[in-house]
Amino acid sequence: MKFIRPAVFFLILLPCLIPGNISAQTKMIDSLQNALHSVKSDSAYVEVLLHLSKEYMSVDSSVQSRKNAEHALAVAQGAHYMRGIFQATSDLGTIYLDLGDYTKALEMEFKCLAYADSSNDLVKIAATNNSIGIIYWYQSNLDKALEYYMKALDIQKQRKDTVGISGSLNNIGIVCKNKGDTAKALFYYRQALDLSMRVNNKRGMANTYNNLGALFELRNDLDRALNYFQRSLYIRQEINDKIGISTSLTNIGDLYLAKKEYEKAEQYELDGLGISREIGDLEGIKAACSSLSEIYAGMKDGMKALKFYQEYIAARDSLSNEEGKHNMEKMEMRFQYENDKLALKKDTEKQQALAESEKRKQGFIIIAVSAGLVMVLIFLAFILNRFRLTRRQKQIIEKQKVIVEEKNEEITASIQYAKRIQESHLPTEKFIEKTLKRLRGGE
């Protein structure tokens, strides 16, 4: 049975198909790279980079995917383009999750959560809580995964987002199943199914039927498990979900194999294998070939059993090579991350040193300016004191001048008065002249 993963909610859906036509995807990448030279605005440039990142991820080029997402983030931050900042950060969280770097993935998602909280965007808050839950689920930290799925569920209920609620209920059910609480898992799956049916959410219905099939298979209730897998298959065929169809066919084949109904098992596994080959799904090829090898061994057809076992080995080795390539990319990204981290640390230390130097310089400036101000204040106080002293002296001089003038006036008046007294006692000129004439006549 193929691995069941939690439901992932995407805020923006871009045409990112299963890599069945590498040439077409290469053309798309070339087209997007050319578009970077013609876009006029920063926001459009960011959107093209994000699209490029998704295309690179679809062809398993995680390094190029990360580089384009990081470039998009840098441009979006410079342009204060909040949607681009959030989406680039969210995409980086997905990239790091794909690379198994859960620490970095969580770092990105918690940044997303901060952005979403700051704008009170409930859609993004719910989606980010769900993404954080998925990361914890991959880490097998089921309690933490459940905590964040519940947070997402609360917001979706607040918004009456039926599709979102159904997805969260499915995720919560998967956690409960993995914790061994199949009764709770069944409770949440049935709620999810009821909501999906209410709004005719076919993909949600198909996913829940598949989860229910896996649950009843775990309980060894193979007939009920088969019933749910068949319902899931029918809907997936209706909506042309090829990966889902392949998964359901393989799951049904595995059930018939467990029941030793080899011919039925053979048909379902071959049908599933055909679709997996068509879409280039190595995991699907490996799972179907492994089951077919067991089926033909049970049917005593050693040649076919060997043939499919060899194809299983080839698919497994191809996956190992892909995983090796993936690990090399992971190592390259981690190496680049460490280099970036070291460069950032050095830059931070340099900035801190510059800031400290600037702080000391400002301290010296403040001291010098303060000392200058003190000197100016002392000088002003001295000038003010001199001005007051001069004014006081001037007032004294003015008073003395008035006194002197008054004294002078008094002296002048006394002299005039004495002169008048003297003049009153002295003979007049006429008297003197008359007396002189008399004396001359006597001679």
Side-chain angles (χ1 to χ4, degrees), residues 251-316:
N251 287 344
I252 293 170
D254 288 346
L255 279 180
Y256 279 122
L257 173 59
K259 295 171 77 171
K260 299 188 184 304
E261 296 182 31
Y262 297 123
E263 290 182 0
K264 287 182 179 179
E266 175 192 21
Q267 190 56 56
Y268 280 103
E269 296 290 355
L270 285 172
D271 288 347
L273 177 60
I275 294 171
S276 293
R277 284 172 174 167
E278 177 191 341
I279 62 177
D281 179 12
L282 286 173
E283 278 287 356
I285 293 169
K286 185 183 82 167
C289 286
S290 175
S291 297
L292 282 164
S293 179
E294 287 187 48
I295 289 166
Y296 289 120
M299 295 171 73
K300 311 300 182 187
D301 189 339
M303 292 297 292
K304 284 186 178 179
L306 178 60
K307 173 194 168 187
F308 283 104
Y309 183 75
Q310 288 172 335
E311 191 171 348
Y312 156 75
I313 294 297
R316 186 195 67 186

Side-chain angles (χ1 to χ4, degrees), residues 38 63 207 211 214 277 322 328 375 391 441:
S38 59
V63 171
N207 290 339
N211 290 345
R277 284 172 174 167
E322 286 296 318
M328 286 297 291
M375 293 298 293
R391 189 170 63 177

Side-chain angles (χ1 to χ4, degrees), residues 65 143 182 220:
S65 180
D143 290 332
T182 56
N220 205 33

Side-chain angles (χ1 to χ4, degrees), residues 65-75 88 92 96 336 340:
S65 180
R66 186 208 66 172
K67 285 180 179 177
N68 280 280
E70 286 179 341
H71 190 186
L73 179 59
V75 175
L92 283 167
Y96 281 114
Q336 183 63 44
D340 291 346

